[in-house]
Amino acid sequence: MIEEIKNRNELVSVVEQYVTLDRKSSANYFGLCPFHREDTPSFSVSPSKQIFYCFGCHKGGNVINFIKEIEHVSYPQALQILAERAGIALPEPDDEGWRKRSELSKRLHETMLEAARWFYMQLIGGQGKPAQDYLRKREISPATAKRFGIGYAPDNWDALLKHLRAKGFSEEEIDVSGLFKRTKQGNLIDLFRGRLMFPIFDVLGKVVAFGGRVLDDSLPKYINSPETPIYTKGRHLYGLNLAKASRADNLIIVEGYLDVIAMHQAGIDQAVAALGTALTEQQAILLRKYTEKIIIGFDADAAGQKAALRGLEILAGKDMDVSVLMVP
């Protein structure tokens, strides 16, 4: 099975999803190493041997090793990623409970993806003009909005609910997705209504939750997905799926979705946000996988300063090099 996964994931095509390669010799491709900073390409890929090697940092191996290193995942997780890419079904444990949880998790990821697509179509459609106007006011370009999957939830009680039911999602999947809430009468209604929508991605680029912002000054300003079988808010960082590819040697933690988006649009592509919570131990461990240098860029108000101090304490406890960005 492992050999089949390797054979059906040609190394050059996999690497080229992360690294720009040039053929500098008849045998090998070369590019800038994704595992350390360099100006002269020393990262080599051999199509004939199906191995990679960096002459600078000395990392190397086969396609499974590459995915393990680039995605910061375990060996079994790397196998899973490559198996999905090649359309190979990995054998599952005999545990019936595990199978049911695994199937529900898979369907919930599909539910989130379909919701994200629907929210985006509402943004670019006729109903999305208020959200389009808001993005223009915030100077967020259409290209940036598309890159982050920004969408719009119309001010409607059950528009998304009807859409997902029409797409064949089960009542259980809909009920535990975190996209809906129950009225006093027990009926499901859309949780997000009349809001700009921000899909929250895990580090592998899968949609796991959403944040929604009002377009005026009404309260609450933000509503975030509750925790679900696929989402625990203290274990994710908004924008990390994109920031992990930055060539910067640090990550900048800011407070909100729009802070991250504006910074990436301005070329500061190592920005992430802590999803409306104080920085957690799990988030610090996640950050440590990608860098030892962290810049805290929280707001200058009292709440921001308090959160910065708490973040300093947690990150310093993980032996990380932490500095604070003083925002006027």
Side-chain angles (χ1 to χ4, degrees):
M1 178 65 74
I2 292 176
E3 284 305 310
E4 183 184 5
I5 290 172
K6 286 159 63 177
N7 291 339
R8 288 172 60 177
N9 283 280
E10 200 278 325
L11 182 59
V12 172
S13 67
V14 172
V15 171
E16 282 185 325
Q17 293 181 336
Y18 303 87
V19 181
T20 301
L21 296 175
D22 293 318
R23 191 146 203 167
K24 295 281 182 68
S25 72
S26 59
N28 296 328
Y29 288 81
F30 284 85
L32 293 172
C33 180
F35 306 122
H36 78 285
R37 297 192 75 186
E38 59 178 11
D39 298 318
T40 304
S42 62
F43 182 81
S44 168
V45 180
S46 169
S48 59
K49 297 178 182 177
Q50 287 293 292
I51 58 172
F52 72 92
Y53 183 74
C54 176
F55 294 92
C57 67
H58 307 297
K59 286 187 177 178
N62 59 29
V63 68
I64 301 170
N65 301 125
F66 178 79
I67 289 295
K68 182 173 176 288
E69 290 287 342
I70 197 85
E71 293 288 4
H72 298 269
V73 294
S74 66
Y75 190 88
Q77 287 173 314
L79 276 178
Q80 182 67 51
I81 292 167
L82 291 168
E84 288 179 5
R85 184 179 184 273
I88 298 171
L90 288 177
E92 296 180 347
D94 294 331
D95 184 338
E96 183 63 26
W98 183 91
R99 265 207 297 271
K100 285 182 178 178
R101 290 193 300 274
S102 178
E103 181 59 29
L104 178 61
S105 176
K106 178 183 175 185
R107 287 292 290 167
L108 283 176
H109 280 113
E110 292 170 2
T111 307
M112 293 295 114
L113 179 59
E114 183 57 40
R117 287 171 172 160
W118 187 80
F119 286 136
Y120 179 72
M121 294 309 295
Q122 307 315 299
L123 173 69
I124 64 175
Q127 288 193 86
K129 189 176 184 306
Q132 294 168 21
D133 291 343
Y134 180 84
L135 288 173
R136 271 194 293 273
K137 186 174 75 173
R138 296 297 295 258
E139 299 182 9
I140 304 298
S141 72
T144 299
K146 186 174 183 180
R147 185 171 185 235
F148 281 86
I150 297 173
Y152 175 61
D155 197 1
N156 186 299
W157 290 104
D158 60 359
L160 177 61
L161 180 63
K162 287 178 177 175
H163 176 76
L164 292 179
R165 281 174 172 164
K167 284 289 182 178
F169 290 97
S170 72
E171 288 305 302
E172 181 191 12
E173 291 155 5
I174 287 169
D175 199 19
V176 301
S177 67
L179 294 168
F180 308 96
K181 64 180 180 179
R182 290 197 178 272
T183 64
K184 291 179 180 178
Q185 291 74 33
N187 300 315
L188 283 176
I189 58 171
D190 291 5
L191 175 63
F192 301 101
R193 303 185 305 277
R195 290 176 179 269
L196 194 67
M197 296 301 296
F198 303 95
I200 297 166
F201 297 86
D202 65 15
V203 290
L204 299 181
K206 291 183 178 180
V207 183
V208 292
F210 290 90
R213 190 198 193 284
V214 293
L215 302 176
D216 53 23
D217 295 325
S218 60
L219 297 173
K221 184 190 291 186
Y222 283 95
I223 291 177
N224 297 306
S225 289
E227 297 196 350
T228 71
I230 62 170
Y231 177 62
T232 305
K233 67 180 180 180
R235 295 182 180 274
H236 298 274
L237 288 152
Y238 182 72
L240 184 59
N241 60 306
L242 298 175
K244 69 180 184 181
S246 172
R247 291 200 166 273
D249 65 352
N250 59 51
L251 287 170
I252 303 173
I253 308 174
V254 293
E255 285 195 24
Y257 304 110
L258 286 163
D259 299 326
V260 171
I261 291 165
M263 291 179 78
H264 278 252
Q265 182 172 273
I268 306 168
D269 63 355
Q270 71 267 43
V272 301
L275 292 165
T277 66
L279 194 72
T280 66
E281 293 279 346
Q282 291 91 344
Q283 288 170 330
I285 291 167
L286 185 59
L287 288 164
R288 190 72 171 74
K289 288 184 177 180
Y290 296 93
T291 184
E292 295 179 4
K293 292 184 178 181
I294 299 293
I295 299 171
I296 298 176
F298 292 163
D299 292 349
D301 59 18
Q305 294 303 300
K306 185 177 179 181
L309 287 170
R310 174 66 179 146
L312 271 169
E313 183 183 331
I314 291 173
L315 294 166
K318 297 286 182 283
D319 294 325
M320 300 177 80
D321 180 2
V322 190
S323 50
V324 177
L325 175 66
M326 297 304 292
V327 181

